[in-house]
Amino acid sequence: MYVANVVVVGGGVIGLSASWRLAAAGHAVTLVDPEPARGGASWLAGGMLAPVTEGWPGEEDVLELGVASLASWPAFAAELGIALPTTGTVVAAVDAADAAALDILAGHLATLGRQVRRLSGRELRAVEPTIGPSVRSGLMVPDDLFVDNRELLRALLSAARGAGVVEVREPVRAVAAGAVTRTDGRTIDCDVAVLAAGAWSAALHPALRSLVRPVKGEILRLRGRPGALPPPARTVRALVESRSVYLVPRADGGLVLGATQYEAGFDTDVTVGGVRDLLADAERVLPGIAEYALVESAAGPRAGSRDNLPLIGWLEPGVLAATGHHRNGLLLAPITAAAVLAAVAGDPVPAAARAADPARLTDGVHR
Ligand SMILES: Cc1cc2nc3c(=O)[nH]c(=O)nc-3n(C[C@H](O)[C@H](O)[C@H](O)COP(=O)(O)OP(=O)(O)OC[C@H]3O[C@@H](n4cnc5c(N)ncnc54)[C@H](O)[C@@H]3O)c2cc1C
């Protein structure tokens, strides 16, 4: 077997998954990140694995990629020893325009053969009794799942270490064929560099400069308190007067509540308006959260791309991109890791991942 000397830059969910899979396959892997498993969007994320409810007309490649990755999730979670609840997702609509938007989404998904069921407000409350009276209709999406992102990151870091990944806790300044340069000027030689630094990737290789941008997201974490209503069993997504909000349950009785989306560069301030809107919208959907404790508020950058597909593939010989996962990096971790492993081995990448080849945006200039 060909054994490559691989340096993975970035230890979020994507870099950790790729490092783990590469090392487990026998490659020599060095992971370079000043704060692996904690430094990026993966630590903040809600944890939805939701290709169907993230589906949007015109983004069929994104849906196909997400569905393919979701199919790998049960085995991925089992190998890592983490829980993967199978209760699914419901979507709630508050006003008439929200209900009309759900109709469009349901119709679009039905034409693509996805499993979705329209529910009245009453039917929705029969499924999730803590949903409030202002919700007028809903959608049941059994295939969209969720994980605890922090449990996932801890498991991935441990699996990567167990597979022999070497960690270098330093930031990188530049990635080029044959070597990665740290900010202290030292270089690490490699056969393949995998660029997986999320929203920070654009600064590390010239081909990504105009292709990846930060998209700010704010997110809140709530803890149940004695006497408060229990959290829902499923992810509850909602449209509230055309704003979207989601609540993802945690095994400890908590909830993750997200998420705003702003073009605000690397701004990580949590704004008063953002928190106000998230809490007000979430309370319309699940009034019981008023009794929960607000234990964390945070903001971080997603790695946006021009077409909402990630960039997974060669930027030039010796430099692989695994970035631009925008709202779906947790969902897409298994298929991204599989594609990186295949590319390093010279094998064909999974069919659904071909659409994510960066050449679609670079015209192959940097290949
Ligand atoms: C609020 C919010 C909610 C989200 N919710 C969901 C969700 O429910 N489901 C879902 O699938 N996705 C969700 N996402 C998106 C998801 O979090 C990202 O797509 C995913 O985390 C990207 O993973 P990554 O490993 O590419 O990047 P990151 O997790 O951002 O990791 C990048 C890593 O690179 C490191 N790094 C940065 N600069 C350097 C450097 N110069 N040198 C070395 N290392 C460096 C950082 O320390 C970090 O560890 C959400 C994102 C946000 C912000």
Side-chain angles (χ1 to χ4, degrees):
M1 185 200 115
Y2 163 64
V3 175
N5 184 8
V6 185
V7 173
V8 176
V9 178
V13 69
I14 298 298
L16 285 171
S17 301
S19 297
W20 169 41
R21 290 304 203 202
L22 286 163
H27 298 290
V29 181
T30 303
L31 174 67
V32 194
D33 188 327
E35 216 185 345
R38 279 298 284 259
S42 307
W43 180 252
L44 302 179
M48 292 179 296
L49 310 174
V52 178
T53 46
E54 286 284 327
W56 200 245
E59 294 190 351
E60 285 72 24
D61 286 344
V62 181
L63 176 65
E64 196 186 326
L65 181 66
V67 167
S69 196
L70 187 59
S72 302
W73 254 100
F76 194 71
E79 277 185 73
L80 290 169
I82 63 167
L84 181 65
T86 52
T87 41
T89 296
V90 292
V91 192
V94 168
D95 70 13
D98 300 331
L102 271 200
D103 284 335
I104 292 170
L105 179 64
H108 170 63
L109 292 170
T111 61
L112 297 175
R114 307 315 313 172
Q115 204 189 337
V116 294
R117 187 156 60 90
R118 257 338 229 122
L119 302 173
S120 66
R122 182 178 300 212
E123 288 169 326
L124 188 56
R125 277 181 285 280
V127 175
E128 284 296 349
T130 55
I131 287 181
S134 59
V135 169
R136 65 165 66 202
S137 69
L139 200 61
M140 171 78 94
V141 186
D143 292 343
D144 275 2
L145 306 180
F146 55 94
V147 284
D148 181 328
N149 58 313
R150 295 181 177 179
E151 184 190 16
L152 167 66
L153 289 168
R154 282 188 283 267
L156 279 171
L157 189 56
S158 152
R161 286 175 177 160
V165 171
V166 174
E167 289 167 60
V168 175
R169 296 206 171 207
E170 291 287 337
V172 162
R173 187 174 69 204
V175 173
V180 161
T181 306
R182 297 164 29 167
T183 49
D184 62 8
R186 294 173 66 180
T187 56
I188 309 173
D189 294 338
C190 55
D191 302 316
V192 177
V194 179
L195 186 34
W200 295 271
S201 302
L204 302 181
H205 191 281
L208 294 180
R209 207 164 284 153
S210 61
L211 302 185
V212 175
R213 70 181 197 288
V215 180
K216 180 183 176 183
E218 292 166 315
I219 194 152
L220 308 175
R221 283 178 154 75
L222 313 184
R223 173 171 48 77
R225 296 192 313 137
L229 287 173
R234 296 156 183 78
T235 294
V236 176
R237 308 188 67 147
L239 287 171
V240 182
E241 293 169 7
S242 304
R243 287 185 299 272
S244 59
V245 63
Y246 57 76
L247 298 112
V248 190
R250 288 292 184 262
D252 64 2
L255 277 169
V256 183
L257 201 175
T260 58
Q261 187 162 315
Y262 308 112
E263 298 286 341
F266 285 97
D267 172 22
T268 53
D269 283 340
V270 179
T271 63
V272 172
V275 174
R276 176 200 59 214
D277 288 347
L278 282 176
L279 288 175
D281 292 345
E283 208 183 338
R284 296 274 294 279
V285 181
L286 284 179
I289 65 158
E291 295 302 324
Y292 282 55
L294 173 58
V295 290
E296 185 182 324
S297 64
R302 308 174 180 93
S305 74
R306 284 190 201 155
D307 54 8
N308 291 337
L309 268 172
L311 294 105
I312 310 168
W314 297 106
L315 291 176
E316 58 175 310
V319 180
L320 261 178
T323 186
H325 292 78
H326 199 219
R327 298 170 60 89
N328 291 308
L330 303 177
L331 167 67
L332 298 176
I335 200 163
T336 304
V340 167
L341 181 59
V344 169
D347 295 333
V349 300
R354 277 185 222 137
D357 189 327
R360 74 188 187 280
L361 300 171
T362 62
D363 294 330
V365 167
H366 292 280
R367 301 190 79 202

